[in-house]
Amino acid sequence: LPALPLGELFIRGQAVAVDPELFRFDADEIAAYAAARGTPIPPERARELAASSNGWAAGIVIALSDPSFSLRGAAHSAAAAYLSEQLVPALPADLIAFLEESSVFETLDLHVLEMCAALAPARARIDGLRRGGALVSELAAGRFRVHPLLRELAFARLAARGGVSRAHGAAADAYARAG
């Protein structure tokens, strides 16, 4: 991505910040999109896609392109291939390490993450992931969730280098320190 002087662009009114949640598709929008493509789907399939894709538009398009495709446990899917071949390699090494080390957490709580030296400064790293296009949603102030497919990929990378036990130990220590 090109370096942009965002602060200057915001001041001049040439850029706006848009909450990523506005881009998340819900079940009704997924059903409407499928119908507009000429491939209507039942409401239960739209709900399943909304839940499994976390409303991620690219995941929805991929899933609708192949009716047998499921985003749940799709370790070798086109979406996982995109994440592993395009998104992750484009991230700086420190953000990849953060993504892998934090994959043992279901929810990324800044208070807990800051207690773990390997994950601090957590806010800056989460912001970096989001700027880099990683699928990270803010659940509440200071609490985030990495999209399940991306988290699964990061965990697999962590496991491949034998870091799961150490990361679980660091997570346990961080929870204990956070209280």
Side-chain angles (χ1 to χ4, degrees):
L1 297 176
L4 296 174
L6 289 178
E8 184 178 325
L9 293 172
F10 283 124
I11 290 170
R12 290 183 180 173
Q14 295 175 314
V16 295
V18 179
D19 185 342
E21 299 302 312
L22 294 174
F23 295 105
R24 185 181 311 258
F25 280 57
D26 64 24
D28 291 337
E29 291 166 327
I30 293 169
Y33 174 71
R37 286 176 44 132
T39 55
I41 57 173
E44 59 274 3
R45 174 73 171 144
R47 285 190 296 277
E48 188 274 334
L49 283 174
S52 65
S53 70
N54 202 27
W56 178 43
I60 293 163
V61 170
I62 292 167
L64 289 173
S65 297
D66 178 359
S68 66
F69 177 84
S70 172
L71 287 165
R72 294 200 190 279
H76 301 290
S77 69
Y82 163 76
L83 294 173
S84 65
E85 296 169 12
Q86 301 293 317
L87 185 124
V88 172
L91 294 171
D94 68 312
L95 295 182
I96 294 171
F98 174 83
L99 188 61
E100 292 172 2
E101 295 293 324
S102 66
S103 69
V104 298
F105 292 90
E106 181 77 26
T107 300
L108 304 180
D109 183 312
L110 290 179
H111 178 67
V112 174
L113 296 179
E114 291 296 339
M115 300 297 158
C116 183
L119 300 176
R123 167 58 85 175
R125 290 182 170 171
I126 289 171
D127 289 346
L129 286 172
R130 295 176 90 183
R131 279 192 308 275
L135 308 167
V136 180
S137 300
E138 188 162 9
L139 302 173
R143 292 184 61 237
F144 299 86
R145 186 181 98 146
V146 174
H147 188 281
L149 278 177
L150 182 55
R151 183 172 169 249
E152 178 184 310
L153 171 65
F155 187 82
R157 290 172 57 103
L158 180 67
R161 61 182 174 87
V164 173
S165 293
R166 183 192 34 73
H168 275 295
D173 288 345
Y175 275 116
R177 284 191 207 122

